[in-house]
Amino acid sequence: GAGVSQTPSNKVTEKGKYVELRCDPISGHTALYWYRQSLGQGPEFLIYFQGTGAADDSGLPNDRFFAVRPEGSVSTLKIQRTERGDSAVYLCASSYGTKETQYFGPGTRLLVL
Amino acid sequence: GENVEQHPSTLSVQEGDSAVIKCTYSDSASNYFPWYKQELGKGPQLIIDIRSNVGEKKDQRIAVTLNKTAKHFSLHITETQPEDSAVYFCAASEDYQLIWGAGTKLIIKP
């Protein structure tokens, strides 16, 4: 079946602009996760949704980052006033439930100029 | 909090030989240990995982071993093939938050 999909695959923006990154999880998966991966490193946890609510947003680096999942399926990661340090690959994963295997999307490569 | 260390950072093996990647974790509460393979420009793909109630798990050419006492786990790939070339990540988790190692770049020499 269809895996996790993310759009756009690449995003180039200018410092100070606003960006939205979208994640479509695997159908039926109630848990959704966002991670950020810098070059040459492992992914870092940002936020976890169980259903519509953000169960844990402790990994969000600051208040410029926000994520929503209004209907318990698609999620959007929003970054305001982007900075060059936000450049990274943003990965989305979903799982059938908490503590279950996480399946990852291809990621969105964000470049802030 | 949890910390995961992974070694080596780069591993080069002859095609057909075995490859071993090792990880250590710090939090004894961690009970789930997945391994992911990441190819260039793609997201991580789960290749095998193990939970703390077992010591070893195998799937064809891939095996994972877990030593809870020493808090380390290892990935073993036998009969390596060119398509095994990628970056491999280990991770540890107590609940839903995966804590990742820094990755191992596996190079398969023809």
Side-chain angles (χ1 to χ4, degrees):
Chain A
V4 178
S5 61
Q6 292 186 245
T7 54
S9 54
N10 294 280
K11 177 69 178 179
V12 181
T13 191
E14 294 179 343
K15 180 176 177 295
K17 299 290 187 182
Y18 168 82
V19 297
E20 289 189 352
L21 312 179
R22 175 186 168 110
C23 172
D24 279 90
I26 293 172
S27 178
H29 281 192
T30 60
L32 185 146
Y33 316 79
W34 284 98
Y35 291 83
R36 180 168 71 173
Q37 186 176 25
S38 298
L39 194 64
Q41 299 181 22
E44 291 180 295
F45 170 81
L46 295 178
I47 187 169
Y48 154 61
F49 288 89
Q50 180 57 253
T52 60
D56 182 353
D57 64 358
S58 63
L60 295 177
N62 52 60
D63 61 6
R64 296 186 298 104
F65 288 75
F66 190 71
V68 296
R69 195 186 185 200
E71 298 178 357
S73 179
V74 171
S75 176
T76 304
L77 178 66
K78 308 180 181 195
I79 310 174
Q80 298 177 320
R81 304 182 305 278
T82 52
E83 299 177 357
R84 293 192 180 89
D86 298 335
S87 296
V89 176
Y90 289 81
L91 295 164
C92 176
S94 70
S95 65
Y96 189 71
T98 307
K99 300 187 182 184
E100 299 295 326
T101 299
Q102 295 182 26
Y103 296 92
F104 283 78
T108 292
R109 283 146 194 82
L110 176 65
L111 177 61
V112 182
L113 299 176
Chain B
E2 175 65 280
N3 181 55
V4 176
E5 295 192 355
Q6 183 172 346
H7 299 280
S9 57
T10 303
L11 178 60
S12 183
V13 301
Q14 204 69 39
E15 182 179 348
D17 288 350
S18 296
V20 180
I21 303 171
K22 299 181 179 182
C23 289
T24 60
Y25 61 100
S26 60
D27 189 348
S28 57
S30 290
N31 53 31
Y32 175 62
F33 307 92
W35 286 88
Y36 286 86
K37 174 184 181 182
Q38 188 172 31
E39 296 177 86
L40 197 61
K42 298 185 178 181
Q45 177 188 12
L46 180 78
I47 54 172
I48 196 167
D49 57 7
I50 191 169
R51 297 192 183 267
S52 58
N53 57 346
V54 298
E56 182 175 2
K57 183 176 179 181
K58 293 182 74 173
D59 182 4
Q60 300 182 342
R61 296 187 297 110
I62 295 173
V64 57
T65 58
L66 171 65
N67 183 326
K68 287 173 55 181
T69 304
K71 286 190 267 189
H72 66 69
F73 56 112
S74 300
L75 176 72
H76 304 252
I77 305 174
T78 59
E79 301 173 10
T80 52
Q81 301 169 3
E83 54 265 35
D84 294 331
S85 294
V87 178
Y88 291 79
F89 289 96
C90 64
S93 174
E94 179 189 356
D95 39 35
Y96 52 82
Q97 186 176 143
L98 294 177
I99 306 300
W100 299 68
T104 296
K105 182 176 182 180
L106 178 61
I107 300 167
I108 308 300
K109 298 180 290 186

